[in-house]
Amino acid sequence: MTESNLREPGQRVSPKARLMWLLGAGLQSALVLFLVVSAGTWWGWFDLRWWQLAVLVAVLATYVGVVPAWRYRVHRWEVTDTAVYTQTGWWARERRIAPMSRIQTVDYAEGAIARLFGLASVTVTTASSKGALEIAGLDRLRARTLVDELTLKADAVAGDAT
């Protein structure tokens, strides 16, 4: 594949994924805040000054405000006749391509928070040492359709090879 063929995948995840990621980031931040306040005030492990708490709250609020929008802007996917493409990342972007001929399994999963929003993830496992490709934040029906589509395409490619 040449450099010009490595383009950004064309499909975005569901817009509802932003809400799912917002809730996830909010729960993570609330847990961090609870643990820090518990350790500093109730358990007395360290002195927690008001300004330290204010800084922590500002950092956590920024995290909750930025992460969902950033993830939605970056996370993309695409399926062609020959491969599955994904793009993920935070500071560094990672684009991965899995040829249909290398697909070993295609999995469908719904986490507890994803289920609240009618979302699911599709994981494509290959023989790559980099691990599986995951497309998180798809509408449940689209994810099920994608699993069927990828299974049929990978099976067709495997059938052509024999």
Side-chain angles (χ1 to χ4, degrees):
M1 217 173 233
T2 64
E3 183 69 30
S4 62
N5 290 343
L6 295 176
R7 59 180 172 72
E8 189 172 83
Q11 300 289 319
R12 285 186 186 259
V13 297
S14 171
K16 293 185 287 185
R18 284 182 288 198
L19 295 173
M20 177 182 70
W21 291 327
L22 179 71
L23 180 59
L27 290 172
Q28 290 170 350
S29 296
L31 178 62
V32 167
L33 187 61
F34 173 77
L35 291 174
V36 168
V37 168
S38 297
T41 58
W42 298 331
W43 298 326
W45 290 354
F46 53 83
D47 288 335
L48 183 62
R49 307 265 193 265
W50 71 267
W51 62 268
Q52 293 169 324
L53 190 59
V55 169
L56 178 62
V57 168
V59 168
L60 293 174
T62 302
Y63 174 75
V64 170
V66 171
V67 168
W70 193 311
R71 283 185 76 177
Y72 183 73
R73 187 175 19 215
V74 173
H75 287 228
R76 295 177 180 271
W77 65 279
E78 185 174 346
V79 174
T80 67
D81 289 337
T82 58
V84 178
Y85 299 79
T86 62
Q87 175 179 283
T88 59
W90 177 244
W91 296 112
R93 297 215 174 129
E94 178 181 66
R95 289 187 183 149
R96 298 198 43 214
I97 302 167
M100 290 295 170
S101 61
R102 300 289 302 236
I103 293 177
Q104 295 177 333
T105 62
V106 181
D107 300 310
Y108 171 93
E110 294 178 21
I113 295 176
R115 210 172 17 256
L116 290 173
F117 293 97
L119 300 174
S121 295
V122 173
T123 303
V124 178
T125 306
T126 68
S128 169
S129 62
K130 282 287 274 183
L133 280 73
E134 182 181 27
I135 306 168
L138 295 174
D139 283 313
R140 187 180 294 142
L141 180 59
R142 180 63 184 118
R144 288 181 182 149
T145 304
L146 182 59
V147 167
D148 293 341
E149 177 186 347
L150 288 173
T151 303
L152 290 173
K153 285 183 176 189
D155 189 46
V157 169
D160 290 345
T162 58

